[in-house]
């Protein structure tokens, strides 16, 4: 898709609402900041992305196992990981309205379109330097007021459990899924047949008290992560080679599994100042979203920091014993961590096609990720013989693939609807079908139609998905 044909965020949001991909959370009460629900189509697309992630990174690999840990962990976990002490963003407050803003996002917004700041990395500034920058350039809030000095604001959500009282009842909603992997490291070692190098992956909800709004599902308070901790012995495995191998796997997933075009993707290395102190190397895959190049998927070499921290705080050994040499060591990790909502938004933005020639909007989703693989229609809904035959086809196909039934409106309207929700093919049962056991199959992208035998439909869809 060429850049000038790319959708705006507003167009994507409108399509998501119109067709049932994403709705604002609690809309009947006026919504809830940075929170969205996935509708009938969005939940299918989201599930496809998660299933593909799980299949590619866990099921298809002998060196990976899965995990599903809790959202609320023993709070000491977050003290050990450093989240309680320093999982924070620099915030400034509009002195008149008391609204909070992320200082780095305020500066980034101000620099947008200014050629002289093209290569400026805001993350390189300390909190204090961000304050100076805002003052020096007289940057004002969206309401036109001055900002306060920036202060660090912790992103962890706190809640309390009923079974205990006082300070001990305080727990956090996890800020990342990763720590559940580290705290289960010993159990996985003891219960499965894994040997270094190996990885543990998990999909699940994380929570962050974000204050920047207006980026749709890109940045939300509650979001799903797909995280992998890949453990290895740095004396036996060259971390640089492993890192590059993960870079290839991540990019391959985005381009070849999700079907996203490469032109809007890039690798960005974190600068020394920006990188977390425990990380030896961090790269992000950035995607060119309608609001600019933004982080999609991070890859970090976290050394043995997390296991060491959890070991110190729990007093439990999280060492690995080499089965051949009996050497004991703390494994190092490389961590690919992605937000499923960001994969979702990228997939939609990339697939959004304004087909001006045919005056339609098409979601050119790869059939693998499309919510429905085919739509089945009777040509006319008031002809029982057509409806009956089409229902038989629907029932047969839906046992194998998600397919959608539609008998509303005329055939042209049905096609337009299916194009907008990304259904790769439409299958129509007409009067000829009653005679020759064939149907019309219409391709979403080319709009071309062909006749095929009903008995060949399953094979047709299987080839399309391959
Ligand atoms: N365990 C490492 C970790 O959590 P991160 O860079 O903070 O690293 C990983 O988060 C990924 O999670 C990001 O690359 C992004 O895709 C996603 N993510 C982070 N914060 C998010 C938010 N507020 N909303 C949606 N996705 C988010």
């Amino acid at each position: 898709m060429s850049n000038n044909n790319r959708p705006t965020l507003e167009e994507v949001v409108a399509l998501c609402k119109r067709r049932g991909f994403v709705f604002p959370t609690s809309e009947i009460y006026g919504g809830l900041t940075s929170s969205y629900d996935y509708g009938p189509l969005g939940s299918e697309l989201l599930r496809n992305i998660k299933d593909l992630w799980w299949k590619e990174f866990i099921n298809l690999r002998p060196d990976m196992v899965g995990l599903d840990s809790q959202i609320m962990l023993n709070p000491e976990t977050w003290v050990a990981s450093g989240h309680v002490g320093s999982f924070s963003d620099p915030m400034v407050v509009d002195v008149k309205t008391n609204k909070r803003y992320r200082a780095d996002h305020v500066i980034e917004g101000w620099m947008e379109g200014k050629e002289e700041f093209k290569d400026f990395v805001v993350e390189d500034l300390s909190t204090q330097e961000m304050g100076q920058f805002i003052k020096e350039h007289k940057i004002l809030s969206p309401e036109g007021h001055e900002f306060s000095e920036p202060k660090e604001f912790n992103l962890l959500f706190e809640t309390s459990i009923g079974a205990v009282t006082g300070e001990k009842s305080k727990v956090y909603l996890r800020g990342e899924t990763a720590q559940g992997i580290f705290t289960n490291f010993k159990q996985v070692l003891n219960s499965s047949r894994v040997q270094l190098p190996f990885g543990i992956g998990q999909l699940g909800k994380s929570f962050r008290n974000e204050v920047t709004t207006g980026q749709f599902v890109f940045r939300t308070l509650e979001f799903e992560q797909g995280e992998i901790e890949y453990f290895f012995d740095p004396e036996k495995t060259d971390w640089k080679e492993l890192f590059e191998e993960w870079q290839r796997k991540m990019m391959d997933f985005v381009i070849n599994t999700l079907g996203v075009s490469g032109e809007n993707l890039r690798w960005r290395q974190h600068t020394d100042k920006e990188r977390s102190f425990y990380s030896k190397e961090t790269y992000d895959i950035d995607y060119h979203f309608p609001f600019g190049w933004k982080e999609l998927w991070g890859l970090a070499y976290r050394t043995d920091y997390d296991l060491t921290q959890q070991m110190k705080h729990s007093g439990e050994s999280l060492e690995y014993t080499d089965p051949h040499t009996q050497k004991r060591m703390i494994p190092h990790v490389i961590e690919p961590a992605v937000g499923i909502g960001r994969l979702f938004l990228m997939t939609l933005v990339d697939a959004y096609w304004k087909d001006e020639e045919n005056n339609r909007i098409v979601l050119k989703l790869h059939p693998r990720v499309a919510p429905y693989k085919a739509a089945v229609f009777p040509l006319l809904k008031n002809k029982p013989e057509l409806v009956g035959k089409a229902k038989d086809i629907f029932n047969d196909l839906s046992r194998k693939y998600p397919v959608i039934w539609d008998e509303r409106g005329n055939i042209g309207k049905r096609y337009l609807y299916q194009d907008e929700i990304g259904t790769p093919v439409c299958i129509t049962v007409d009067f000829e079908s009653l005679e020759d056991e064939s149907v019309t199959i219409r391709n979403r992208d080319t709009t071309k139609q062909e006749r095929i035998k009903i008995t060949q439909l399953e094979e047709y869809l299987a080839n399309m998905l391959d």
Side-chain angles (χ1 to χ4, degrees):
M1 188 168 52
S2 74
N3 271 352
N4 57 16
N5 197 14
R6 302 198 81 213
T8 62
L9 184 64
E10 290 69 31
E11 285 171 325
V12 176
V13 172
L15 174 83
C16 280
K17 194 157 184 218
R18 187 165 73 241
R19 296 308 187 196
F21 282 92
V22 180
F23 307 127
T25 293
S26 308
E27 200 183 13
I28 58 168
Y29 292 106
L32 178 70
T33 185
S34 299
S35 301
Y36 295 91
D37 296 338
Y38 291 87
L41 290 167
S43 52
E44 294 285 344
L45 176 56
L46 201 65
R47 203 160 48 83
N48 290 341
I49 294 173
K50 286 192 278 183
D51 286 351
L52 288 165
W53 184 94
W54 193 271
K55 184 172 167 204
E56 282 300 319
F57 293 118
I58 299 192
N59 293 150
L60 289 177
R61 295 185 55 140
D63 57 343
M64 289 286 310
V65 290
L67 185 80
D68 196 338
S69 72
Q70 291 282 285
I71 284 168
M72 289 180 286
L73 308 177
N74 184 306
E76 194 58 27
T77 312
W78 303 106
V79 178
S81 66
H83 283 76
V84 170
S86 61
F87 187 48
S88 55
D89 282 332
M91 301 287 174
V92 282
V93 177
D94 175 318
V95 292
K96 288 242 165 82
T97 63
N98 283 331
K99 264 195 187 166
R100 274 205 190 101
Y101 296 89
R102 249 178 82 168
D104 52 337
H105 290 174
V106 165
I107 298 173
E108 268 169 13
W110 178 84
M111 287 194 309
E112 223 168 79
K114 295 189 172 73
E115 194 52 27
E116 65 272 35
F117 290 103
K118 195 165 62 53
D119 298 319
F120 195 96
V121 181
V122 181
E123 284 84 358
D124 278 353
L125 298 177
S126 67
T127 305
Q128 204 191 4
E129 286 166 341
M130 285 188 198
Q132 280 161 4
F133 191 101
I134 290 175
K135 260 209 188 106
E136 224 167 82
H137 295 92
K138 299 192 169 54
I139 304 175
L140 297 177
S141 75
E143 289 89 357
H145 310 135
E146 279 181 16
F147 283 119
S148 65
E149 281 297 321
K151 273 204 188 109
E152 288 296 318
F153 177 81
N154 196 288
L155 298 181
L156 281 181
F157 274 105
E158 284 177 19
T159 186
S160 50
I161 46 176
V164 273
T165 53
E167 229 345 70
K168 284 210 165 132
S169 70
K170 185 160 90 180
V171 288
Y172 302 99
L173 303 187
R174 67 181 172 199
E176 60 174 18
T177 57
Q179 295 307 321
I181 297 181
F182 297 120
T183 51
N184 278 294
F185 179 70
K186 194 172 154 190
Q187 283 85 342
V188 173
L189 272 189
N190 291 344
S191 60
S192 54
R193 314 222 6 111
V194 288
Q195 282 186 38
L196 290 185
F198 73 92
I200 306 177
Q202 100 162 304
L203 279 168
K205 287 278 176 85
S206 291
F207 301 80
R208 294 184 190 178
N209 208 347
E210 304 274 5
V211 298
T212 296
T213 56
Q215 293 176 325
F216 197 38
V217 295
F218 176 83
R219 191 182 306 282
T220 46
L221 304 183
E222 176 180 337
F223 57 98
E224 194 129 23
Q225 285 187 308
E227 295 202 283
I228 293 164
E229 302 304 327
Y230 197 82
F231 299 96
F232 64 98
D233 178 347
E235 283 181 15
K236 291 192 170 160
T237 303
D238 177 350
W239 75 264
K240 281 205 163 99
E241 268 177 34
L242 192 59
F243 199 92
E244 283 168 15
E245 190 188 317
W246 273 107
Q247 285 189 296
R248 282 192 294 277
K249 293 258 178 321
M250 288 158 61
M251 200 53 105
D252 182 66
F253 182 81
V254 175
I255 295 177
N256 295 321
T257 305
L258 299 182
V260 168
S261 63
E263 63 188 288
N264 291 310
L265 293 160
R266 70 174 187 199
W267 278 106
R268 191 182 74 82
Q269 186 182 21
H270 281 212
T271 61
D272 289 345
K273 276 193 173 171
E274 178 187 4
R275 214 174 43 236
S276 311
F277 68 93
Y278 51 78
S279 171
K280 257 199 170 154
E281 183 70 283
T282 304
Y283 270 81
D284 291 336
I285 296 183
D286 285 353
Y287 180 73
H288 197 196
F289 286 98
F291 38 87
W293 286 98
K294 297 278 172 200
E295 174 183 341
L296 175 79
W297 196 337
L299 181 66
Y301 173 22
R302 294 174 74 122
T303 64
D304 59 357
Y305 172 77
D306 300 274
L307 282 181
T308 305
Q309 284 298 103
Q310 296 298 346
M311 200 163 130
K312 270 194 206 150
H313 282 250
S314 66
E316 288 275 341
S317 168
L318 300 177
E319 284 177 320
Y320 173 86
T321 307
D322 187 296
H324 307 295
T325 62
Q326 302 306 310
K327 183 186 90 170
R328 286 160 73 88
M329 49 88 61
I330 303 172
H332 282 214
V333 285
I334 280 180
E335 178 197 67
V338 71
I340 303 299
R342 291 194 185 178
L343 291 179
F344 175 97
L345 182 58
M346 168 194 66
T347 305
L348 279 184
V349 168
D350 211 73
Y352 193 110
W353 174 37
K354 299 171 204 168
D355 178 9
E356 275 152 18
E357 203 182 313
N358 294 301
N359 196 20
R360 60 181 188 146
I361 303 290
V362 185
L363 277 189
K364 255 186 165 182
L365 294 169
H366 190 286
R368 255 197 303 271
V369 290
Y372 297 110
K373 311 308 170 196
V376 183
F377 316 144
L379 181 65
L380 300 168
K381 74 167 180 190
N382 55 0
K383 295 285 173 203
E385 59 280 34
L386 297 185
V387 174
K389 196 155 207 65
K391 274 264 159 78
D392 288 345
I393 293 174
F394 175 84
N395 289 338
D396 274 354
L397 291 180
S398 59
R399 253 183 270 278
K400 282 214 129 177
Y401 306 106
V403 289
I404 178 171
W405 172 261
D406 194 359
E407 56 178 27
R408 283 177 53 180
N410 63 36
I411 205 96
K413 286 219 172 100
R414 293 180 203 164
Y415 284 157
L416 284 182
Y417 174 82
Q418 297 302 332
D419 290 344
E420 275 203 13
I421 68 168
T423 310
V425 291
C426 295
I427 298 162
T428 306
V429 171
D430 54 21
F431 291 103
E432 242 180 287
S433 311
L434 304 175
E435 319 257 296
D436 65 359
E437 291 293 315
S438 65
V439 287
T440 300
I441 190 158
R442 182 253 192 194
N443 182 293
R444 173 193 70 196
D445 301 341
T446 62
T447 72
K448 292 227 163 65
Q449 302 186 10
E450 56 181 313
R451 291 294 288 184
I452 73 162
K453 290 281 178 209
I454 294 170
T455 49
Q456 290 170 347
L457 277 173
E458 230 180 89
E459 198 187 331
Y460 186 99
L461 295 187
N463 287 338
M464 180 183 86
L465 286 162
D466 195 4

